Amino acid sequence: IVFVNDGSSDGTAQRLETLRHGDDRVKVIEFSRNFGHQSAMTAGLRAAKGRACVIMDADLQDPPSLLLPMVDRWRSGYDVVYAVRRSRDGETVFKKATAALFYRTLRALAGVDIPPDTGDFRLMDRRVVDVLNSLPERNRFLRGLVSWIGFRQIGVQFDRPARAAGETKFSFWKMLRFALDGLTSFSRVPLRLVTIAGVGAFLASGGVLAWALWVRFFTDRSVPGWTSLIGIVLLLGGAQLLALGVIGEYLAHIFDEAKGRPTYIIRKGSGDESEKSL
């Protein structure tokens, strides 16, 4: 059992040390400060050595009783068994609504089939954990990465209970940052929207400029100097937005390359190639 103490300010560190000295199956990783949920899970996965690994929160909202059906599905051939929240006790309507919106928006924009209403509570085969640990990116969104790498995955539904004690430290701003990290890690859509806006603005400016020229030369309603001024503004504005769109397309490619993810991942194979992800 690997406990990751993510910079707690209560008596967690002392209790974990007591557990570690009393049970040689317990490992403790203590951060120098709070580095965040995703960093804590990454450290735990890198320290875990089992044939299968389970990520669980320590607030008992991830019920240990669900481990048995998870292990059963793993033994039947699934590589990832994730927990699907059928209900969420002890949470506000606002949090439930924003969580539902986040999962569905991310699934629509990310291009990766991320199951809705799932957190990080899941069982993963050693092969999956090894692939996750080999990915070089630093700003991680693990539930998205697990979906991205593939393998055979299945969900197990459960009713999520309220916290056993204490209050969550995951504030609204942390949730917002988490949502933005997830979206920007898996979607080019924000950059692609800049491109679409640039093309649309450039075309619209051409149409307005054509109308301004028609008013200038074929009617007596034009204001002196207005046509040339609006023409310059529209052309420059449209050209700038179009240029931003082109830059956005190149940034999207740089974004994909900088993540350093493998081009493909082999689940099964023969010979040396079965051990590689390229």
Side-chain angles (χ1 to χ4, degrees):
I1 305 174
V2 181
F3 289 96
V4 182
N5 182 16
D6 187 18
S8 65
S9 56
D10 53 15
T12 298
Q14 292 75 18
R15 292 196 177 193
L16 290 178
E17 282 301 309
T18 301
L19 279 175
R20 185 176 66 85
H21 288 299
D23 192 336
D24 58 7
R25 297 173 300 176
V26 173
K27 296 180 181 179
V28 177
I29 299 172
E30 186 165 349
F31 285 175
S32 60
R33 63 172 176 83
N34 180 272
F35 283 93
H37 191 221
Q38 303 298 300
S39 297
M41 290 189 297
T42 298
L45 288 175
R46 288 173 177 169
K49 305 300 180 185
R51 291 171 51 211
C53 302
V54 178
I55 299 174
M56 296 182 67
D57 289 341
D59 55 14
L60 296 183
Q61 287 189 289
D62 298 336
S65 59
L66 201 63
L67 294 177
L68 293 177
M70 282 182 163
V71 171
D72 287 341
R73 283 161 178 76
W74 171 62
R75 286 175 173 165
S76 68
Y78 288 97
D79 301 297
V80 178
V81 185
Y82 53 85
V84 182
R85 299 161 182 166
R86 186 165 44 207
S87 64
R88 303 162 66 111
D89 295 337
E91 296 184 0
T92 63
V93 175
F94 174 77
K95 186 171 183 179
K96 292 178 182 179
T98 52
L101 177 64
F102 163 67
Y103 283 116
R104 283 151 183 80
T105 301
L106 183 63
R107 192 176 190 185
L109 299 182
V112 177
D113 188 15
I114 300 175
D117 303 317
T118 62
D120 294 299
F121 182 27
R122 64 191 64 217
L123 179 150
M124 295 178 290
D125 185 80
R126 166 52 51 187
R127 173 65 171 143
V128 175
V129 175
D130 288 342
V131 171
L132 281 176
N133 290 338
S134 70
L135 298 179
E137 57 197 88
R138 296 168 58 87
N139 294 322
R140 294 183 159 223
F141 181 64
L142 280 173
R143 64 192 70 172
L145 287 175
V146 173
S147 297
W148 179 84
I149 63 177
F151 294 96
R152 295 189 64 195
Q153 305 195 16
I154 192 173
V156 176
Q157 291 191 335
F158 77 110
D159 297 308
R160 195 182 200 210
R163 292 175 63 92
E167 295 180 357
T168 180
K169 303 298 191 297
F170 216 58
S171 65
F172 170 77
W173 297 110
K174 286 185 177 181
M175 288 190 293
L176 181 60
R177 180 180 175 182
F178 179 70
L180 291 175
D181 285 343
L183 181 61
T184 54
S185 293
F186 283 89
S187 180
R188 291 182 175 186
V189 171
L191 288 172
R192 187 59 51 80
L193 289 176
V194 175
T195 304
I196 295 172
V199 173
F202 190 76
L203 294 176
S205 67
V208 175
L209 179 59
W211 173 80
L213 291 173
W214 182 83
V215 170
R216 170 66 179 82
F217 291 109
F218 298 100
T219 72
D220 56 359
R221 294 177 295 163
S222 65
V223 178
W226 182 83
T227 303
S228 58
L229 179 62
I230 197 66
I232 293 172
V233 171
L234 289 172
L235 284 175
L236 287 178
Q240 286 174 343
L241 285 174
L242 183 60
L244 284 176
V246 173
I247 293 172
E249 289 298 308
Y250 280 102
L251 281 176
H253 289 287
I254 295 172
F255 167 70
D256 286 337
E257 294 296 327
K259 287 184 291 191
R261 295 177 189 168
T263 305
Y264 58 84
I265 296 168
I266 297 175
R267 179 173 178 267
K268 287 184 179 181
S270 58
D272 294 338
E273 289 301 312
S274 64
E275 302 299 325
K276 297 179 181 179
S277 296
L278 303 175

